[in-house]
């Protein structure tokens, strides 16, 4: 267990199968991935400059987790591996993007979980063995992890699935992300402002709001939720919503016209034996 105050870890202490993350944009949010050893990380991203995909100025604040190679030469170690979006593999330096590595904690106690006031750093759920975690990450590197969604299927959701194999069944709730659970809990705490009538002091109001926030975080954690199921990575594709698939046009009937200077147009019909019988169209 890393500690209540900080989950920061030295690069030399990283082990294959670790769930790591790095803070972005003045600690507003963190990007998550699975460290697979040899200074390489598998992680899930949307596209450069479109991590949230709002199409507004907000995209300027939540930059993509994928390394930006347009502004300079590609990374010598992972530049040839980088895809524009989806599940990608990059070196640790590109993943951190100038930040520091932090270790996501698993199987923490409820007291420790609540002591970590900010979500997206630990969970009550237990992690599977490292070899299974790496297998899931490498499998998803080839098969994908569905459509990226900030609220339903983001980089933290990907890393948590690789570590636990747990998938949320219900379609109306948020994903496994602790960052989004914290945000939801914060809104719930604010929405519970009518509870201020239960207390007449500022201190009492702070206690009520903090309590609602902690309860919201706790019940949203993947380790205590009842709407999750363990899904083998080989069957994960069965749980993604169907995508729009382009339907190929139906094959046209065999039809061939021949035009020449002194030859009338001909039409070709099958003779029943795989051959072709020409018939004059004139």
């Amino acid at each position: 267990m890393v500690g209540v105050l900080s989950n920061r870890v030295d690069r030399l202490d990283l082990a294959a199968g670790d769930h790591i993350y790095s803070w972005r944009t003045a600690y507003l949010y963190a990007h998550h991935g699975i460290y697979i050893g040899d200074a390489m990380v598998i992680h899930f991203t949307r596209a450069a400059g479109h991590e949230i995909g709002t199409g507004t100025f907000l995209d300027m604040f939540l930059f993509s987790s994928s390394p930006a190679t347009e502004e300079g030469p590609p990374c010598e170690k992972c530049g040839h591996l980088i895809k524009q979006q989806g599940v990608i593999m990059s070196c640790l330096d590109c993943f951190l993007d100038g930040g520091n590595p932090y270790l996501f904690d698993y199987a923490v106690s409820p007291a420790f979980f609540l002591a970590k006031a900010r979500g997206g750093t630990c969970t009550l759920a237990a992690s599977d063995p490292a070899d299974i975690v790496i297998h899931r990450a490498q499998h998803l590197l080839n098969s994908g992890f569905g459509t990226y969604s900030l609220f339903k299927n983001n980089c933290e959701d990907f890393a948590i699935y690789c570590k636990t194999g747990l998938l949320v069944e219900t379609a109306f709730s948020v994903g496994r992300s602790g960052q989004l659970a914290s945000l939801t809990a914060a809104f719930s705490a604010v929405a519970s402002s009518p509870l201020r009538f239960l207390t007449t002091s500022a201190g009492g109001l702070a206690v009520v709001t903090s309590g609602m926030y902690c309860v919201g975080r706790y019940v949203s954690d993947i380790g205590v939720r009842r709407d999750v199921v363990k899904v083998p990575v080989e069957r994960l594709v069965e749980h993604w919503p169907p995508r729009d698939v382009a339907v190929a046009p139906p094959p046209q009937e065999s039809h061939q016209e021949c035009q020449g200077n002194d030859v009338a147009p001909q039409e070709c019909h099958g003779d029943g034996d795989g051959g072709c019988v020409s018939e004059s169209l004139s």
Side-chain angles (χ1 to χ4, degrees), residues 224-280:
V224 298
R225 290 173 62 162
R226 295 180 177 272
D227 60 343
V228 297
V229 61
K230 196 135 185 167
V231 180
V233 68
E234 292 79 10
R235 298 185 57 188
L236 189 61
V237 66
E238 301 174 9
H239 293 260
W240 298 136
R243 297 180 179 180
D244 294 333
V245 180
V247 179
Q252 297 181 353
E253 296 181 0
S254 175
H255 185 275
Q256 189 178 36
E257 291 187 0
C258 301
Q259 292 183 348
N261 294 331
D262 301 322
V263 181
Q266 301 286 323
E267 184 175 8
C268 180
H269 297 280
D271 62 359
D273 298 321
C276 182
V277 177
S278 297
E279 179 181 339
S280 176

Side-chain angles (χ1 to χ4, degrees), residues 155-214:
C155 59
E156 186 181 348
D157 294 320
F158 167 79
I160 290 178
Y161 172 76
C162 289
K163 290 286 286 186
T164 65
L166 297 176
L167 196 68
V168 177
E169 287 185 301
T170 53
F172 57 82
S173 62
V174 297
R176 292 135 291 186
S177 172
Q179 296 181 90
L180 268 299
S182 292
L183 183 61
T184 304
F187 278 117
S188 299
V190 173
S192 67
S193 57
L195 293 176
R196 65 182 182 273
F197 296 112
L198 299 179
T199 180
T200 58
S201 66
L205 180 60
V207 170
V208 171
T209 305
S210 299
M212 292 297 297
Y213 173 75
C214 291

